[in-house]
Amino acid sequence: MRTYLDERTISELNKLINLGLSSSSTSTSKIEFELRFGKTYTATLANGQKRYEFVPGVTNSVFIDIQKKLPKDKIVVVRDKVTYYKENLRKIENEEGGDYYQRKTNNGKWDVRFTNTEVRFSNSLEINVDKKYITTEMVKQSSTIRERIRQSVDFGDYKIELTVVKEKIGDKNEVKYEVEVEFTNFSSIDKIANSLNKVYEFLYPERFSMVDKMTYNKYVGFFNKMLDYNPKDGRTPFAPCGVNPRNIKLSDIPNLKNMSVTNKLDGVGSFLVANKNVIYFI
């Protein structure tokens, strides 16, 4: 089973890709194309309209489950502190004592839900700012301070990044758990889709794994027997021209033992099989 991208999502992702291709990374700037896991909240405004807000982050338990799946020998850990100022300016301090300033501008975003997860795709531009251009007024007051411990694994065309964030906004302190995927190759929608499938197969194998070959053949044989299916010509007593789906009528109820679930469930060409409290797509 593969990640399904609807036409609207493909259209929006192509826009983000084109935004990235229209700019180019340099020694002082970087185009970032990423996916962030989170949750969308709905708020009703005074005028009755609804506003949808995507909040990045996952629960501690989800974070730990994903963390356990990362190959330990490939994890790179980075600790830093980010102080945010006005006009998208931020100061990044690393654990070695070095620091630099950067502006991060969001070029576009697209929030979508698929495969039972809520995510945000975004394209942003990161530009390093020389310290000589930083004035006292620019860094007079900060809005947010984030202390981060980030674990990342490079898979080639993408990186999976897990970050524990201690965030301080005014007098409010909060710990957040963030899961991001940074696409290092986003030259086309095919590249993005291919990386997405690999990401989801890695993070959620229980949603994508197929049954083993022996079990698969067992269930295929079961369905064939139930339909009296002849694999040589594809015919059955109930469908002389082949196995063709049709609507079930009231008169069919007594004979349901001779029926099978269609192999087209909600647009996904798979049989849905429940076995020992596990659902398989075949």
Side-chain angles (χ1 to χ4, degrees):
M1 183 178 177
R2 295 177 66 82
T3 307
Y4 174 70
L5 299 179
D6 57 69
E7 292 184 5
R8 178 67 187 279
T9 297
I10 291 175
S11 174
E12 295 297 331
L13 290 184
N14 273 322
K15 291 178 183 177
L16 295 180
I17 290 171
N18 291 332
L19 284 172
L21 296 177
S22 63
S23 305
S24 58
S25 298
T26 67
S27 59
T28 59
S29 66
K30 175 188 174 183
I31 297 295
E32 188 175 67
F33 194 106
E34 65 181 2
L35 172 149
R36 307 181 77 181
F37 291 84
K39 187 173 180 60
T40 301
Y41 294 90
T42 305
T44 303
L45 304 179
N47 59 8
Q49 292 184 336
K50 291 186 177 181
R51 185 185 69 179
Y52 300 94
E53 180 182 3
F54 178 86
V55 178
V58 299
T59 64
N60 182 35
S61 60
V62 170
F63 186 90
I64 292 175
D65 286 342
I66 295 176
Q67 188 179 47
K68 291 178 180 178
K69 297 173 183 177
L70 295 180
K72 292 181 174 57
D73 59 326
K74 294 184 178 181
I75 295 177
V76 176
V77 180
V78 175
R79 294 175 173 84
D80 61 18
K81 175 182 176 182
V82 186
T83 305
Y84 293 81
Y85 302 98
K86 295 180 180 179
E87 299 179 354
N88 300 319
L89 180 67
R90 60 184 186 174
K91 179 183 179 181
I92 302 175
E93 304 170 73
N94 57 44
E95 59 183 336
E96 288 80 22
D99 60 55
Y100 61 96
Y101 289 89
Q102 187 181 79
R103 291 190 189 278
K104 183 172 182 178
T105 306
N106 191 292
N107 294 328
K109 61 186 178 183
W110 174 245
D111 300 340
V112 65
R113 178 185 177 89
F114 59 85
T115 322
N116 294 326
T117 58
E118 294 179 76
V119 299
R120 165 173 286 178
F121 292 93
S122 64
N123 178 306
S124 56
L125 175 64
E126 298 177 343
I127 302 176
N128 292 339
V129 181
D130 196 306
K131 289 184 179 180
K132 65 183 180 182
Y133 297 115
I134 303 298
T135 65
T136 304
E137 186 64 28
M138 292 169 67
V139 294
K140 185 177 181 179
Q141 184 176 5
S142 64
S143 59
T144 305
I145 298 176
R146 288 162 58 93
E147 295 182 7
R148 309 183 299 189
I149 302 177
R150 172 168 290 173
Q151 302 177 65
S152 64
V153 176
D154 192 336
F155 289 88
D157 286 343
Y158 61 92
K159 295 178 182 178
I160 295 179
E161 300 178 337
L162 276 64
T163 309
V164 178
V165 181
K166 292 182 179 179
E167 184 177 82
K168 181 178 181 181
I169 303 177
D171 296 329
K172 181 181 179 182
N173 295 281
E174 186 177 1
V175 177
K176 295 183 176 181
Y177 302 91
E178 299 179 349
V179 179
E180 303 172 357
V181 177
E182 181 180 344
F183 299 97
T184 52
N185 188 339
F186 50 90
S187 56
S188 68
I189 190 66
D190 289 336
K191 292 289 185 182
I192 295 294
N194 185 54
S195 293
L196 269 179
N197 281 300
K198 291 179 179 178
V199 167
Y200 272 84
E201 288 168 4
F202 175 77
L203 295 182
Y204 304 105
E206 66 278 4
R207 301 181 189 177
F208 289 84
S209 60
M210 296 296 182
V211 294
D212 60 82
K213 189 173 182 179
M214 184 179 296
T215 306
Y216 172 85
N217 290 334
K218 173 185 174 182
Y219 281 116
V220 168
F222 169 74
F223 282 118
N224 288 344
K225 183 178 180 180
M226 184 169 63
L227 291 170
D228 195 19
Y229 175 70
N230 185 338
K232 291 185 178 180
D233 57 20
R235 299 181 182 180
T236 78
F238 308 103
C241 298
V243 180
N244 297 311
R246 64 182 179 85
N247 294 330
I248 296 177
K249 300 176 182 178
L250 187 62
S251 58
D252 293 321
I253 299 300
N255 300 312
L256 280 181
K257 63 181 181 179
N258 294 323
M259 300 291 181
S260 171
V261 64
T262 175
N263 66 342
K264 184 174 176 60
L265 296 173
D266 195 27
V268 179
S270 304
F271 280 115
L272 186 66
V273 178
N275 178 42
K276 296 180 180 180
N277 297 322
V278 178
I279 296 177
Y280 299 96
F281 288 99
I282 299 180

